[in-house]
Amino acid sequence: MLDGVDWLKQNGYRAVLHLLQPGEDDAAERKLFEMRGLKYLSLELSPQTLSRTVVEEFNRAVGDRTNQPLFIYDKNGALTGSLWYLHFREVEQQSDEEARTRAARLGLREEQNGLQREMWLAIQKYLSERPG
C-alpha cells in the first residue's frame, strides 16, 4: 500500500476518497495518506445507505477542483463503480449503456454475487425513486 500512496503523490494526486462500509475503521489509512501530504476524504456507503445525500457528497468531491486529481477507492470496487455509474447518469447525463461501460472500468459489476449484486439492486431502487 505504501508504494501506491507514494506513486499517487509522485504523480501529482492531491486527494483520495475512500469509500467504505458503515462502521469500517479507516484511521490507519487516513494517517498514511495524510502523512504523505494527500488530502484524505471518506464516505460511508452500503446498499442500505445509498441515498441522494451520499450521491451528492460523492459528486461534490469529484467536482471540487481542489481535490483534483482525485483517487477514489474501496476494498473491491463495488462501492466505487456504483457511485461512478450514478455520477455518469446524473451529472454527465449519459445513457445507461454508456454509464455502465465507463463504470465497469471503475469497478461496477452488476452480474456478480454478494456486495456487487446488492449495490446494483440498490442503484436500481435509487433510480426508480428519484423525482422526474
Side-chain angles (χ1 to χ4, degrees):
M1 174 116 176
L2 189 55
D3 288 343
V5 176
D6 288 339
W7 184 91
L8 290 172
K9 184 67 177 168
Q10 291 166 1
N11 284 278
Y13 282 80
R14 292 184 185 172
V16 297
L17 173 58
H18 183 190
L19 303 176
L20 54 147
Q21 293 190 41
E24 198 175 319
D25 182 18
D26 67 339
E29 289 181 59
R30 175 181 295 279
K31 184 177 179 182
L32 178 64
F33 283 108
E34 288 178 347
M35 285 177 47
R36 293 291 191 277
L38 293 164
K39 180 178 175 183
Y40 181 88
L41 306 166
S42 64
L43 182 60
E44 288 189 352
L45 173 64
S46 72
Q48 296 75 29
T49 64
L50 179 61
S51 66
R52 166 81 33 220
T53 301
V54 170
V55 173
E56 287 174 354
E57 285 182 45
F58 177 82
N59 290 336
R60 267 193 300 278
V62 168
D64 184 344
R65 292 194 181 277
T66 65
N67 293 335
Q68 296 176 8
L70 173 67
F71 179 74
I72 303 169
Y73 75 103
D74 69 276
K75 283 185 179 179
N76 65 10
L79 304 177
T80 303
S82 297
L83 286 179
W84 273 119
Y85 172 82
L86 290 172
H87 177 82
F88 296 144
R89 290 296 309 274
E90 294 187 338
V91 175
E92 297 187 16
Q93 300 292 303
Q94 294 181 347
S95 69
D96 173 64
E97 183 178 338
E98 189 173 7
R100 282 186 200 210
T101 300
R102 289 185 65 196
R105 292 184 221 130
L106 301 167
L108 182 69
R109 305 280 182 272
E110 72 236 39
E111 74 283 349
Q112 298 292 323
N113 294 321
L115 182 59
Q116 297 274 359
R117 182 72 179 156
E118 290 176 39
M119 283 304 302
W120 182 247
L121 293 173
I123 288 169
Q124 298 312 304
K125 182 177 184 237
Y126 170 88
L127 290 172
S128 73
E129 293 174 351
R130 73 180 177 175

